[in-house]
Amino acid sequence: MERSKGGIYRRFIKRPMDFTLALIAIIALSPILGVVAILVRTKLGSPVLFKQERPGLNEKIFKMYKFRTMTDERDENGELLPDNIRLTKFGRFLRSTSLDELPELLNILKGDMSIIGPRPLLVQYLPLYNENQKRRHEVRPGLSGLAQVNGRNAISWEDKFNLDVEYVDNVSFMWDWKIIFLTIKKVFVREGINSETAATMEPFKGSK
């Protein structure tokens, strides 16, 4: 019965709920979005939005939107400097408060992402997943997820993927709302729910 209820939520309720919540959030947060966009343009330049291809549901590639947090500083050969150099104090603030993630609400409206689900990682990780880890793509990726409220960058990649698959196997209305409230709590105590980059965690190189 519980699995049936979970299936109904996943098939008929989760997507409309995601769309409605994202739309409400965009309207309510529009003043903040506007101010952050102006500050990003002033302090970091244009484009204001950082776009990067990420794998989504069934490994379908989509463009994920974020506020940019790095400069375009380059060395004498024209190559971009390391992430930790280009990540400014302002950029770190955006990440620690998760303000850089707000444009992903547009991805949720489009249907690329969900409010809750496994975080969308880099395309180059796809060939590195084992069969169990690949299951994280059986649902839409999320703005936040089970792994993000259970350690984020403090846990190993394997632990993250295990939590992702655990979520896939137990998607439910109550669990989604629990993760939403835990996410809000972590943001307010400055444990931002950031996407994984070289500036915050070692790249995934495959499981042993």
Side-chain angles (χ1 to χ4, degrees):
M1 180 62 71
E2 289 300 318
R3 179 171 296 183
S4 176
K5 288 181 179 178
I8 291 174
Y9 169 70
R10 183 168 165 175
R11 291 179 59 190
F12 302 111
I13 301 174
K14 185 172 172 66
R15 172 61 190 148
M17 186 181 80
D18 284 336
F19 182 90
T20 302
L21 291 176
L23 184 60
I24 292 172
I26 288 174
I27 294 172
L29 299 174
S30 56
I32 296 176
L33 288 165
V35 170
V36 173
I38 293 171
L39 289 174
V40 170
R41 177 66 179 85
T42 302
K43 294 178 177 293
L44 299 175
S46 61
V48 170
L49 292 182
F50 169 75
K51 303 176 184 178
Q52 189 175 56
E53 291 189 337
R54 299 288 177 100
L57 178 64
N58 298 322
E59 300 184 4
K60 180 181 179 181
I61 307 301
F62 70 96
K63 284 188 178 180
M64 187 180 77
Y65 307 125
K66 295 178 61 176
F67 282 123
R68 68 182 297 182
T69 57
M70 297 185 186
T71 66
D72 286 329
E73 293 179 90
R74 299 174 183 269
D75 60 21
E76 61 274 10
N77 298 318
E79 298 292 330
L80 286 172
L81 294 174
D83 289 356
N84 61 338
I85 296 177
R86 295 188 295 117
L87 182 60
T88 65
K89 183 177 180 180
F90 174 64
R92 291 183 188 279
F93 169 77
L94 291 181
R95 291 189 179 192
S96 69
T97 56
S98 296
L99 288 171
D100 65 317
E101 307 281 358
L102 291 180
E104 291 170 36
L105 292 168
L106 297 173
N107 289 119
I108 296 172
L109 285 183
K110 291 173 59 181
D112 299 325
M113 293 178 59
S114 178
I115 297 291
I116 301 300
R119 283 294 296 163
L121 300 177
L122 301 177
V123 174
Q124 55 260 43
Y125 292 170
L126 287 176
L128 303 178
Y129 297 140
N130 60 36
E131 290 303 312
N132 188 58
Q133 292 166 351
K134 286 181 180 180
R135 296 195 56 228
R136 67 193 311 277
H137 295 292
E138 292 178 10
V139 297
R140 287 183 177 86
L143 185 64
S144 182
L146 186 61
Q148 280 60 52
V149 298
N150 281 280
R152 192 169 56 101
N153 293 333
I155 60 178
S156 68
W157 280 111
E158 284 72 19
D159 288 340
K160 284 187 180 187
F161 296 144
N162 287 337
L163 288 168
D164 289 341
V165 174
E166 181 181 349
Y167 174 79
V168 170
D169 287 335
N170 297 279
V171 177
S172 72
F173 177 84
M174 293 302 296
W175 211 7
D176 273 7
W177 276 101
K178 180 180 180 180
I179 296 172
I180 288 173
F181 287 126
L182 287 173
T183 298
I184 294 172
K185 177 184 175 182
K186 285 184 173 290
V187 168
F188 275 109
V189 297
R190 299 298 294 273
E191 295 178 11
I193 311 302
N194 302 340
S195 61
E196 290 73 12
T197 69
T200 58
M201 186 173 181
E202 288 296 315
F204 177 58
K205 298 178 181 178
S207 298
K208 296 180 181 180

